[in-house]
Amino acid sequence: MNYLTRRLVTFPFVLIGVSSLVFVAIRMVPGDSITAMLGTDAGLLTPTQREALAVYFGIDQPWFVQYGRWLLGLLQGDLGISVTYGKPVFEVILKRFPLTLELALLSMIIALSVGVPAGVFAATHNERPSDLAVRIVAMIGQSTPSFVLGLLIIYALSAGFGVLPIMGEFSPLWQDPLANLSQLIFPAITLGFAFAASVTRISRSAMLDILSEDYVRTARSKGASSRSVTWRHALPNALIPVVTLSGIEFGYLLGGAVIVEQIYALPGLGRMVLGAILQRDYALVQGTVLFIALNFMIVNLLVDLAYFALDPRIRLRDR
Amino acid sequence: MRIFRAIFAHTSGRIGGTIVLLYLFIAALGALGLTPHDPLMQYRVDRLMAPNATYWMGTDLFGRDLASRLMTGIGQSFTVAFFSVAVATLAGTALGLTAAWFGRLWDGAVMRSMDVLLAFPAILLAMLIVAVFGAGTWNSIAAIGIVYTPIFTRVVRGPALSLKTREFVDAARTFGSSGRYILTRHLLLNLVAPLTVQVTLALAWALLTEAGLSFLGLGTQPPAPSLGLMLSDSRNLMETAPWLMIFPGLTIMASILGFNLLGDALRDILDPKTRRSRA
């Protein structure tokens, strides 16, 4: 069985594993979920009321019945009710997701459009001062946490230009594209900076490898211009590891959005899950974590498919 | 000793190694209580002072000395990073080695469990674990340790699988060596090089994750000094007291940079394959 088939076959099993882990983790929280849901109000309940609530939420059942019901609900898109929002978890997630997705995509666009040219430039100027400069910037970029960069950007904006990034109320892309972009551009730079550094480093090293391949030498000896060799012959193959990196990073962008959304006070998925953790809204934590993990898994699967499409030589056995 | 000489002969190894040693020295001073001031002492009259001769990096909202707090905070961050990477290395190596050695059902079970852990973005999984067990230093260590275990499992399992079929392992078996002896003496010793590189890079990620968790209020709890928390607290005072943001920010950045540079140097030195294309 080749790598891809095995990947497709194991996908549902990993998904079951992920959902079980989330289910078990949430049930390991000390105290029962009624107390967790109601907080201090739980002390006011009479035993009969408590029992009624337990029956209502199904937590009077043994764990395997609870898990079965939860999985069944999951298949129907029912992730339970959020205590803090008083709405179905899925609805709350869908309301917040566009912002986080847009932020992740925008960061990715920034990272790729800066990182790939920088990597190619460094590789074609190998061991020259300009290569060294790119490598130093990339190394610093990779070592800069998003929360440090985010605060520095906000500080620079306010101290240098007397402006602050727009925070709070979010304007969706389809309603006011300009306001939306001006709101998201700095968070996206913050999130995309370290990613751009990784892209630079990986495209540089992939380009270096490929520029020493025989077929590139052949193209050169046939008289192809240096520009055509770089961009037409070498770059497409050097992009393969960049695609893999982008897939892996996309998940981190979704997760890393937690911190960036927090700094810029953006009402996205990450900020919501942090709030849910702090307020012990377990249905919401459970649903959101699962939702992000599922997205991450799907993106990684797509990347593996892209990997096969891009390079037919690759027949991965073990990774 | 040879490895130290090799590290210091390598440009980024020299820079990274120096940064890491410097941090270890500062952390040791902090741990011994050799800070300019008591990191928890509130000098109420000296609140929000800019860097000066008495307070080298200024004071915070409560009049606590920032330099002393940073020194203690570095120790705190490094403790979490070292312990969590130790957890990940031990667990990941044990799982990866046994998965490669026993194969079949155990291998499948281990690797699928690791796939499950890898399906979560790192910071999110760490947040989930902290949500379950509560915030605090030891829980951060456990959370970060669990998050990075799958990476070590993968790093060990791949090479272990190919080492297993090598002749020297067959030879050891013919001589009657026990499975445990072969695993620890023959396989593990051959994996020291890739593990060393991975440990160094993982320390950088662990520092990043720890700072991130405490920035979000899920790591070390106040009043204990923690770099992430200090940075988070600086947000509302950015305009009046920028030093509260700049110093912790640069401290976190430089520590991660140090381990990244050291990791890169070690990869160059220990892995001949990457020498040609080092980035």
Side-chain angles (χ1 to χ4, degrees):
Chain A
M1 203 165 23
N2 71 23
Y3 177 73
L4 195 64
T5 326
R6 214 175 52 208
R7 207 62 178 73
L8 286 169
V9 170
T10 53
F11 187 86
F13 293 101
V14 175
L15 189 59
I16 290 174
V18 167
S19 65
S20 322
L21 181 69
V22 174
F23 180 85
V24 172
I26 294 299
R27 265 138 201 89
M28 275 166 73
V29 175
D32 64 311
S33 44
I34 293 179
T35 315
M37 268 188 279
L38 298 180
T40 45
D41 293 346
L44 304 172
L45 292 177
T46 65
T48 332
Q49 284 172 322
R50 184 176 272 276
E51 206 173 307
L53 274 178
V55 173
Y56 177 74
F57 287 111
I59 50 177
D60 57 326
Q61 303 288 330
W63 67 268
F64 50 87
V65 177
Q66 288 188 42
Y67 183 57
R69 279 187 182 170
W70 186 66
L71 270 187
L72 213 63
L74 213 60
L75 291 175
Q76 297 161 346
D78 175 15
L79 295 170
I81 306 281
S82 155
V83 187
T84 29
Y85 293 86
K87 284 181 191 159
V89 167
F90 198 56
E91 197 184 309
V92 180
I93 292 177
L94 282 189
K95 192 160 179 290
R96 302 296 191 102
F97 186 53
L99 189 154
T100 303
L101 183 67
E102 196 194 333
L103 181 61
L105 288 175
L106 204 58
S107 318
M108 202 164 202
I109 293 171
I110 292 173
L112 291 175
S113 50
V114 173
V116 172
V120 171
F121 174 82
T124 49
H125 294 74
N126 192 19
E127 303 295 334
R128 278 191 244 165
S130 46
D131 171 40
L132 191 68
V134 171
R135 278 159 63 189
I136 290 173
V137 174
M139 195 37 150
I140 293 174
Q142 224 177 15
S143 308
T144 310
S146 56
F147 43 91
V148 173
L149 182 67
L151 293 181
L152 284 175
I153 289 180
I154 295 177
Y155 178 63
L157 284 175
S158 75
F161 304 95
V163 288
L164 273 178
I166 309 143
M167 298 193 184
E169 201 51 45
F170 174 67
S171 2
L173 184 66
W174 51 91
Q175 276 174 19
D176 190 349
L178 210 64
N180 173 280
L181 275 183
S182 67
Q183 234 171 348
L184 283 187
I185 190 73
F186 292 112
I189 291 173
T190 307
L191 196 56
F193 189 63
F195 182 21
S198 314
V199 172
T200 305
R201 283 164 58 90
I202 208 151
S203 28
R204 175 182 175 272
S205 85
M207 269 306 268
L208 277 181
D209 278 346
I210 292 203
L211 285 175
S212 61
E213 294 262 342
D214 288 341
Y215 80 91
V216 172
R217 206 169 303 132
T218 311
R220 279 213 182 100
S221 58
K222 270 185 2 193
S225 71
S226 135
R227 176 186 293 244
S228 142
V229 167
T230 308
W231 298 99
R232 281 204 34 221
H233 295 264
L235 186 63
N237 283 327
L239 281 181
I240 294 171
V242 177
V243 171
T244 318
L245 177 78
S246 305
I248 297 167
E249 284 283 340
F250 189 73
Y252 292 110
L253 291 180
L254 286 179
V258 179
I259 291 172
V260 174
E261 285 172 5
Q262 184 69 11
I263 296 174
Y264 289 93
L266 289 169
L269 215 50
R271 189 145 174 261
M272 184 189 76
V273 79
L274 179 69
I277 286 178
L278 296 176
Q279 286 159 6
R280 305 191 160 245
D281 185 345
Y282 292 121
L284 192 57
V285 176
Q286 186 168 284
T288 317
V289 169
L290 191 63
F291 184 79
I292 295 178
L294 180 65
N295 275 296
F296 191 22
M297 284 172 67
I298 292 174
V299 170
N300 277 329
L301 190 66
L302 291 178
V303 166
D304 278 347
L305 290 172
Y307 211 63
F308 265 70
L310 281 171
D311 190 347
R313 288 173 311 178
I314 297 168
R315 291 288 175 266
L316 291 166
R317 283 163 296 117
D318 282 299
R319 212 167 63 161
Chain B
M1 242 20 239
R2 244 182 33 219
I3 185 84
F4 281 105
R5 225 172 292 151
I7 289 171
F8 279 87
H10 188 283
T11 317
S12 54
R14 198 159 46 233
I15 304 170
T18 312
I19 295 177
V20 169
L21 286 178
L22 193 67
Y23 270 84
L24 289 176
F25 179 66
I26 295 172
L29 286 182
L32 292 170
L34 297 173
T35 49
H37 298 271
D38 180 346
L40 296 180
M41 185 67 182
Q42 305 186 356
Y43 302 95
R44 296 289 174 109
V45 277
D46 296 336
R47 289 170 56 194
L48 292 179
M49 280 188 102
N52 58 46
T54 323
Y55 306 106
W56 305 337
M57 294 181 177
T59 56
D60 66 6
L61 187 63
F62 301 101
R64 295 174 299 195
D65 177 43
L66 187 62
S68 308
R69 288 181 70 70
L70 276 182
M71 287 175 74
T72 329
I74 289 172
Q76 174 69 27
S77 297
F78 272 51
T79 308
V80 173
F82 280 120
F83 276 104
S84 55
V85 171
V87 168
T89 312
L90 288 177
T93 308
L95 289 170
L97 269 183
T98 51
W101 187 254
F102 295 114
R104 291 162 191 264
L105 214 60
W106 176 244
D107 185 27
V110 168
M111 294 323 284
R112 291 301 78 75
S113 319
M114 293 304 117
D115 284 349
V116 168
L117 289 180
L118 282 171
F120 298 91
I123 186 86
L124 196 69
L125 183 57
M127 279 168 68
L128 182 70
I129 296 171
V130 172
V132 173
F133 296 106
T137 306
W138 290 103
N139 291 343
S140 303
I141 291 174
I144 300 171
I146 293 172
V147 167
Y148 291 117
T149 297
I151 296 174
F152 282 93
T153 309
R154 284 195 169 183
V155 163
V156 166
R157 180 180 168 267
L161 270 179
S162 69
L163 283 171
K164 192 179 142 185
T165 57
R166 294 269 292 274
E167 278 151 3
F168 69 87
V169 173
D170 286 341
R173 253 191 268 214
T174 326
F175 287 135
S177 303
S178 68
R180 201 162 92 190
Y181 185 84
I182 298 175
L183 271 181
T184 49
R185 279 301 157 86
H186 294 292
L187 297 193
L188 193 57
L189 274 185
N190 273 296
L191 291 167
V192 168
L195 272 174
T196 312
V197 176
Q198 203 60 46
V199 163
T200 318
L201 293 173
L203 281 169
W205 307 328
L207 281 172
L208 183 70
T209 316
E210 191 273 336
L213 278 180
S214 52
F215 182 83
L216 294 172
L218 299 170
T220 307
Q221 295 299 302
S226 128
L227 301 177
L229 206 57
M230 278 188 240
L231 203 58
S232 166
D233 288 342
S234 76
R235 274 185 293 175
N236 300 324
L237 299 161
M238 201 182 276
E239 306 226 0
T240 41
W243 58 89
L244 289 178
M245 174 197 79
I246 291 168
F247 290 121
L250 290 180
T251 306
I252 296 174
M253 223 174 102
S255 65
I256 298 171
L257 182 68
F259 280 109
N260 271 337
L261 286 170
L262 195 59
D264 266 19
L266 281 169
R267 188 162 39 196
D268 281 354
I269 295 163
L270 296 172
D271 182 3
K273 267 185 298 184
T274 58
R275 260 179 220 158
R276 187 169 53 116
S277 58
R278 69 169 199 267

